[in-house]
Amino acid sequence: MNDNNSMAYAQSDTAQNESAQSSPVQNNSIYAQSSPVQDSPSYTNMPLLQLNDLCKRYPGMGSYMSVFHMNLIIPRGRIIGLLGPNGCGKTTLIKMINGLLTPTSGSVLINGMAPCPATKKVISYLPERTYLDNGMKVSQMVSYFADFYEDFSTEKAYGMLGALGISSDARLKTLSKGTKEKVQLILVMSRQADLFILDEPIAGVDPAARDYILRTIITNYNPGSTILLSTHLISDIENILDDVIFMKNGSLMLYTSVDSIRSQMGKSVDTYFREVYAC
Amino acid sequence: MLGKLLKYEWRGLRFPFLVMMIVLASTTVLTCSVIYTINPNYNEAIPWYSSMALMFSIFLYYFGLIGCSIGLSLIIVIRFYNTCYTDQGYLTHTLPVTTRQILHAKLIAAFVADVLMVLAIAISLFLIIQVTLHHILSFIPEFTYADLMWEISRGIGEFEEIFGIRIGLYFAYLAIYSLIGTIANIVTLFGCVSLGQLYAKHRIIGAILAYFIVQFILQVLAYFASLPMYARMLGTSYNSDFSFFGLMSPTMNLMLFFSVALAVFMYFANMHMLTKRLNLE
């Protein structure tokens, strides 16, 4: 894993990554430590997620790369925070993992396979947007997920809907934005996927809903699965994270365990994040 | 998985389709009812309100037909755009299915809806013609419906002589022509939406622009396709060897060929945009 990190930094030699290179993190001893990947007993020859020299450049953006030579191996059984400021490439990275964007170069491997129907079977993805069909009823969306995903638990979904008092007969267009987000999260978390990718799951919801969402994530978390969680609201999620990935200007800055940050730096992830990304 | 995709695709189309069926049925019933209010007896003046009602119902029916056929195409295209390129695309493209299956499901559902709409319009026209004929014939005691059918069957007997093809073959040709044309049209419309994605900041305008460019190209091709027809028409002035079908068929075949060629191009454009160039906002 350290090799992967080293590669990411070694290749961060363009102007867009100069700031990342000069960040305080670079001089930090965390890099010298063993990564959480090595600590994981389930790290095998077939990692859950592997990024190999991954780059993404959008058309019309000149030479700027939204994701820049990123190398990463994500093991099973971890809750990982994908952290970074706006525009650092988190969502682009997530889209590439989900097969929603084609990399400019490099590769994404999930269970050793490039994004394809087989990899989509094992990834449960919550985008930052509401992707549900507003014309459908909640129960129809549950049936939709049950039809397409073999690992979807209808009982679990209805249980969570009932606990939140969301009527399964309600049409999605009649629900508030926050309730729609909850429905979406319930659908995503009712799967027994290998990899859960949650893009900003707690952004734009009230603190009570935020608590519920985090509780749902933890309650429905299968120890054999990995959750990759992107957010700005670090203080809210810090306590549930095993590891963190810091991104800056499309590059991987840091991939380490939360415990390492706390023990080595004597700081919370939130405090450390503020230092690293101080404007 | 294709079956499941088709199920949900049809579910997405069926409500607006049903609304259009109701509109078509209502305008058909209204037009038939108004036709019955007209007294076609030549020696009696038609009341002004009756002729106004007839004109109004014919206009309504005409716009109903146009609205249903254009409306269905719009609904199919909007659904394709929404489910593939807007927020709903996040769900569509993360389903454990191939892009080809997604595209095929949308094509098949749209094709079925289009064919059903054509059948519904044909039935509606048939009903109106039948009602009109029965109503008119009720004022002409000396000429019955059976007489009319006999005249029509005589006309059918002369069809081959005039058109240069047997009536059964001609309608089979038209049916196959229409089915292929319908598929080509759907693929082309989807292709325009997909090509519109290249214009990242104004994707809808891009799609409309792509549609007009495609129509322009088709018009230019139609001009070239009509050349054999004109050549044969000029030739017919001196030599009357060409039947009506003989005159028309080269142009129709060429136009079908151009439409299919364009559709094949658009199919691959769709696949390319949905796989390699997908960039959801």
Side-chain angles (χ1 to χ4, degrees), chain A residues 58 95 98 100-102 117 120-121 125 127 129-133 136 141 143-145 147-149, chain B residues 1 4-5 7-8 79 87-91 93-98 275-281:
Chain A
Y58 287 103
K95 282 181 178 178
N98 281 290
L100 294 170
L101 278 178
T102 309
K120 289 172 185 176
K121 275 185 184 175
Y125 170 48
R129 290 160 180 263
T130 308
Y131 63 18
L132 305 176
D133 182 349
M136 286 172 93
M141 277 318 303
S143 304
Y144 187 93
F145 269 68
D147 266 351
F148 284 104
Y149 298 108
Chain B
M1 282 294 180
K4 288 175 183 173
L5 284 169
K7 182 175 91 173
Y8 285 99
R79 181 168 169 79
D87 290 352
Q88 278 186 51
Y90 284 89
L91 182 57
H93 297 294
T94 49
L95 292 173
V97 296
T98 61
T275 50
K276 307 284 183 206
R277 301 293 293 269
L278 187 65
N279 182 14
L280 302 175
E281 284 179 39

Side-chain angles (χ1 to χ4, degrees), chain B residues 67-89:
Chain B
C68 284
S69 46
I70 293 176
L72 183 62
S73 294
L74 272 177
I75 285 160
I76 287 168
V77 166
I78 290 168
R79 181 168 169 79
F80 176 73
Y81 174 75
N82 280 343
T83 53
C84 286
Y85 294 115
T86 64
D87 290 352
Q88 278 186 51

Side-chain angles (χ1 to χ4, degrees), chain A residues 203-222:
Chain A
V205 293
D206 60 81
R210 203 171 290 172
D211 286 346
Y212 173 78
I213 288 169
L214 292 175
R215 222 170 34 246
T216 306
I217 292 170
I218 296 165
T219 312
N220 295 281
Y221 169 60
N222 168 10

Side-chain angles (χ1 to χ4, degrees), chain A residues 136-157:
Chain A
M136 286 172 93
K137 289 180 179 176
V138 174
S139 58
Q140 289 173 327
M141 277 318 303
V142 171
S143 304
Y144 187 93
F145 269 68
D147 266 351
F148 284 104
Y149 298 108
E150 291 165 8
D151 57 6
F152 184 82
S153 167
T154 308
E155 294 75 28
K156 205 177 192 180

